[in-house]
Amino acid sequence: VMGTSLTFYKGAAFNQQLKESIANATGLPSTTMSTAIVEGLKAVGGRRLAVATAYNEEVSHRLRAFLEESGFEVLVVKGMGIERFADRPPVTSEELLNFSAGVWQAAPKADAVLISCGALKTLELLAPLELRCNVPVVSSLPHALWAGVRLLGLSGRAPGYGTLLSRG
C-alpha cells in the first residue's frame, strides 16, 4: 500500500492488520510504506531518529506515535506543514535537503534520519544528506519500492542512493 500517512495514521497495529488483510484477500505477500520505513530503519541500525516530514503537526504527531509503537526513539520530528501539495510550489531538492539536515541538527545524537511522505522526491538526495549528517537516511518512496521488490525475491540494491539501497 503506497501512502505513508495512510498506513501509519491509525497506529502500528492497524498497519499490521492492513498488511495482513491484503495478503489474505489476494493470497500474495504484501507490504505498506509504513512497514517499509520500519524495515529500512531496522536494516540500517536506526534506533534513535530525527524525523523530517511534509506533514502538519497533527500528522507528524501520529507518525511519532507509530514509530514509538514500532520500537524507535524519536528524538525530534518536524513537519513542513504541507496539507495539500497543490496549494504550494513544488518542494525543491535543495529545500528538502536543507530542511532535513536542519531536523537532524536539532537532534545530532540521532543514528538515522527518516524523511516521511511518499510525495517528496528524495531518491537523489539520500546520499548527499547522508554525507552531510553522517548517518543513514530512510525515506518513504525509495524504501517502499525497495521493500516491494524484496517481496519479489530481488535485492532492491541500487548503488549510489544511500546506505540501504547501496547494499540492498
Side-chain angles (χ1 to χ4, degrees):
V1 177
M2 300 301 268
T4 323
S5 59
L6 297 172
T7 54
F8 72 65
Y9 195 81
K10 292 184 179 181
F14 173 81
N15 178 62
Q16 183 62 30
Q17 180 184 25
L18 178 62
K19 189 174 118 176
E20 290 169 2
S21 295
I22 292 168
N24 290 337
T26 64
L28 299 170
S30 71
T31 194
T32 70
M33 255 188 187
S34 294
T35 299
I37 62 172
V38 166
E39 290 173 354
L41 288 165
K42 288 180 179 178
V44 298
R47 292 170 291 125
R48 297 165 28 140
L49 310 178
V51 181
T53 80
Y55 318 129
N56 65 26
E57 191 173 319
E58 171 62 23
V59 178
S60 293
H61 175 76
R62 296 284 188 133
L63 176 58
R64 175 190 287 271
F66 170 82
L67 292 168
E68 289 172 349
E69 290 171 5
S70 300
F72 299 100
E73 180 182 356
V74 178
L75 301 182
V76 64
V77 61
K78 184 174 180 187
M80 299 177 85
I82 300 171
E83 293 187 14
R84 287 178 21 102
F85 280 89
D87 293 341
R88 62 156 283 153
V91 177
T92 67
S93 292
E94 182 179 352
E95 177 185 11
L96 186 55
L97 179 69
N98 290 331
F99 177 77
S100 300
V103 172
W104 176 81
Q105 288 171 337
K109 292 187 179 182
D111 55 24
V113 172
L114 170 64
I115 304 172
S116 183
C117 181
L120 294 173
K121 295 178 182 177
T122 58
L123 181 63
E124 298 289 335
L125 63 90
L126 294 172
L129 185 57
E130 287 186 350
L131 285 173
R132 194 159 162 184
C133 300
N134 201 31
V135 297
V137 177
V138 171
S139 67
S140 294
L141 185 56
H143 295 100
L145 295 173
W146 166 81
V149 299
R150 289 170 54 88
L151 289 177
L152 299 172
L154 303 172
S155 72
R157 190 168 185 268
Y161 295 103
T163 301
L164 182 56
L165 295 180
S166 289
R167 64 179 175 193

